[in-house]
Amino acid sequence: MLTFAILCNYVSIRTYYQCIYPLQFERTVKAINEHIVAYHELPEIENVHYKKLDYGTIPKTYGVETFSFDKNELAVLSYYSSVTLHDQLYEVKINRYYKSNDGPGTGVIIFALLISAGLFFFLNWLFFRLSIKRLTFNMWKPYYSNLRRVNAYNVGSNRPLQLVNTDIREFNLFNEAILRFTGNAQKSYEQLREFVENTSHELQTPLAILLTKVELILKHKDLGSAEAKELIEVKQIIQRLSGVHKGLSLLSRIKSIQCCSYYDKENVNINDAIKDSFEIYEELIAFKEISVTIEESLQLTLSTNIELIKILVDNLIRNSIQHNYHEGVIAVQVSEEGFKICNTGVEAPMPGKDMFSRYHTSSKDSGRLGIGLAIVEAICETLHFTCEYSSQTNLHSFTIKIN
């Protein structure tokens, strides 16, 4: 620290003599030049001496000489410059006399003190800022570490949330509240998941038994036409209930995967998935005499979950067939950004944003559940895709964009 202070004082003194102190001499040289321009002669000024310089001599630059002492023990400070009169170069020497105890060192000391004081306050301010910043960083470091852990936490994971303990009472209280909240959320999620799984398992068997019994009764020869008609309606209700149950179970499973943010991935060819889905509904397409065209600009391969992709494509294609009319058209486009499925059909009576609402369907067919597009939307959210719907007159389009 002492070495630094000595160095600062040395730099201050050098700066003073080279930049600040010569200003008073420069004003004198400027006055001499103005007098030469006005009167074409060298002015007589006390303590200013002139000397002719030989032709070709390089003019001296401004500079302050070191102290010297004359016969009267006065400190002499000489300053050199040059001026030109009638194409003749003259050396200008300006002397300043000081008593030995009253030299220009007073100004140097004042200047050095000002620089040192300014540097002292600046360094103290800088040290204070750095210390506060470091102290604040160390104090808030556990908070930001816990914040990252909370943001990365999934309620569907089996592992409880682990937070960093601190010496700050308020942070510990906040951690306890977060752990209590996430623990309750995880417990509620597990209970809900078990309820859905149990309900799905327990309902599927009675529905299958009911459907089998109704079909057996319908095979009796002594069954009247009125009773047969009522049993057929019961059969349709059971089938619809079974379909709703399967759709809701699938939707719940997709939401569960979405909460966990984890699913198996493998390379899936979207082009092949679309073609396989059309093959499944080949008979229905032929029955309605629908024209299908697939435009492939490339082979779109994604690293994603193959099961979810098949459900997504299947729901969109089934939707395009069910809501199409006889001798309609289905056009599929596959590009680098994703794929688009267009189909003819009755103009939608509601805006496109309602298309993905659960149980929404514009069809009058009571056998349609209205949750297919809700499943599509859930899969897109899980896989981080974007699903957009648009319609023009009797042409409906669903665009899946890969983000």
Side-chain angles (χ1 to χ4, degrees):
M1 192 68 181
L2 179 61
T3 305
F4 182 73
I6 294 173
L7 181 63
C8 289
N9 286 328
Y10 173 76
V11 172
S12 300
I13 293 172
R14 294 288 298 175
T15 303
Y16 179 80
Y17 277 114
Q18 291 181 4
C19 301
I20 298 177
Y21 196 73
L23 293 177
Q24 54 185 321
F25 297 102
E26 292 176 7
R27 288 193 294 267
T28 303
V29 175
K30 184 179 180 181
I32 293 173
N33 281 318
E34 291 176 353
H35 184 87
I36 290 174
V37 172
Y39 300 101
H40 304 286
E41 61 178 3
L42 295 173
E44 295 183 1
I45 303 176
E46 186 180 2
N47 297 327
V48 177
H49 306 281
Y50 304 100
K51 176 183 175 182
K52 284 186 178 182
L53 296 176
D54 296 334
Y55 179 79
T57 303
I58 299 175
K60 290 187 177 180
T61 56
Y62 291 114
V64 180
E65 276 199 347
T66 2
F67 281 107
S68 61
F69 292 91
D70 68 349
K71 299 177 181 179
N72 299 321
E73 295 297 328
L74 294 177
V76 181
L77 181 64
S78 299
Y79 180 80
Y80 293 89
S81 182
S82 59
V83 295
T84 302
L85 176 63
H86 303 307
D87 296 330
Q88 175 63 50
L89 191 64
Y90 291 88
E91 179 187 76
V92 180
K93 179 181 179 182
I94 305 174
N95 292 332
R96 285 287 172 91
Y97 297 92
Y98 301 94
K99 293 181 181 180
S100 57
N101 58 352
D102 188 26
T106 304
V108 174
I109 293 172
I110 294 174
F111 180 77
L113 287 175
L114 291 174
I115 293 296
S116 299
L119 188 62
F120 172 79
F121 286 113
F122 172 75
L123 290 178
N124 275 275
W125 174 82
L126 184 62
F127 177 76
F128 176 77
R129 291 279 297 182
L130 293 177
S131 299
I132 290 297
K133 187 175 181 180
R134 185 65 183 176
L135 181 63
T136 304
F137 173 78
N138 291 331
M139 182 177 67
W140 286 92
K141 184 178 179 180
Y143 170 80
Y144 287 109
S145 176
N146 289 334
L147 183 61
R148 287 192 295 270
R149 296 189 180 192
V150 170
N151 288 332
Y153 174 73
N154 288 319
V155 70
S157 63
N158 295 325
R159 293 175 296 178
L161 179 64
Q162 299 289 338
L163 297 180
V164 179
N165 293 325
T166 68
D167 297 330
I168 302 175
R169 177 176 174 271
E170 288 75 10
F171 285 175
N172 287 330
L173 292 175
F174 182 73
N175 290 349
E176 292 175 3
I178 291 293
L179 290 174
R180 198 162 46 244
F181 172 77
T182 54
N184 292 335
Q186 189 173 21
K187 185 178 179 181
S188 300
Y189 172 79
E190 289 296 329
Q191 291 175 349
L192 180 60
R193 185 176 61 83
E194 291 178 2
F195 171 77
V196 172
E197 291 178 355
N198 294 335
T199 304
S200 175
H201 177 73
E202 295 297 332
L203 282 179
Q204 191 62 33
T205 302
L207 288 174
I209 294 173
L210 280 174
L211 186 59
T212 303
K213 288 184 177 295
V214 171
E215 289 177 349
L216 289 175
I217 296 174
L218 284 172
K219 292 180 180 179
H220 290 175
K221 296 180 180 180
D222 55 348
L223 190 66
S225 60
E227 291 82 359
K229 184 178 179 181
E230 292 181 359
L231 285 175
I232 290 174
E233 292 178 357
V234 171
K235 180 182 176 181
Q236 291 175 349
I237 294 173
I238 295 174
Q239 289 176 336
R240 178 174 172 80
L241 183 59
S242 179
V244 170
H245 170 259
K246 290 179 181 179
L248 292 178
S249 298
L250 177 60
L251 188 59
S252 175
R253 188 155 60 90
I254 294 171
K255 291 291 186 180
S256 178
I257 295 174
Q258 185 177 344
C259 289
C260 295
S261 298
Y262 174 80
Y263 46 85
D264 296 329
K265 292 183 179 181
E266 59 181 287
N267 290 331
V268 181
N269 189 292
I270 303 298
N271 306 61
D272 293 341
I274 293 174
K275 292 176 182 177
D276 293 342
S277 185
F278 273 118
E279 288 181 3
I280 295 174
Y281 299 103
E282 188 175 0
E283 294 181 358
L284 182 59
I285 292 173
F287 175 77
K288 299 185 73 171
E289 298 183 4
I290 297 174
S291 173
V292 177
T293 58
I294 302 177
E295 181 182 342
E296 302 170 286
S297 60
L298 50 78
Q299 292 294 316
L300 182 59
T301 303
L302 303 176
S303 176
T304 184
N305 185 271
I306 186 170
E307 182 183 358
L308 294 179
I309 287 293
K310 287 183 177 180
I311 297 172
L312 172 66
V313 173
D314 183 79
N315 274 273
L316 288 174
I317 292 178
R318 185 173 68 248
N319 180 80
S320 66
I321 297 172
Q322 289 180 346
H323 293 276
N324 216 323
Y325 45 68
H326 192 72
E327 296 182 352
V329 175
I330 297 177
V332 180
Q333 297 176 354
V334 181
S335 63
E336 186 178 359
E337 293 77 17
F339 61 95
K340 181 179 181 180
I341 299 177
C342 304
N343 66 276
T344 53
V346 180
E347 187 174 358
M350 290 187 178
K353 64 180 181 179
D354 293 328
M355 281 292 176
F356 299 97
S357 300
R358 193 178 302 180
Y359 307 121
H360 166 72
T361 176
S362 58
S363 175
K364 298 180 181 179
D365 187 354
S366 61
R368 295 177 184 172
L369 308 177
I371 61 174
L373 295 182
I375 293 175
V376 169
E377 185 181 36
I379 293 177
C380 288
E381 291 177 357
T382 304
L383 301 181
H384 304 291
F385 294 170
T386 301
C387 183
E388 297 178 354
Y389 168 78
S390 61
S391 64
Q392 293 180 351
T393 314
N394 293 329
L395 185 65
H396 306 269
S397 302
F398 288 92
T399 304
I400 305 298
K401 294 183 178 179
I402 311 301
N403 297 326

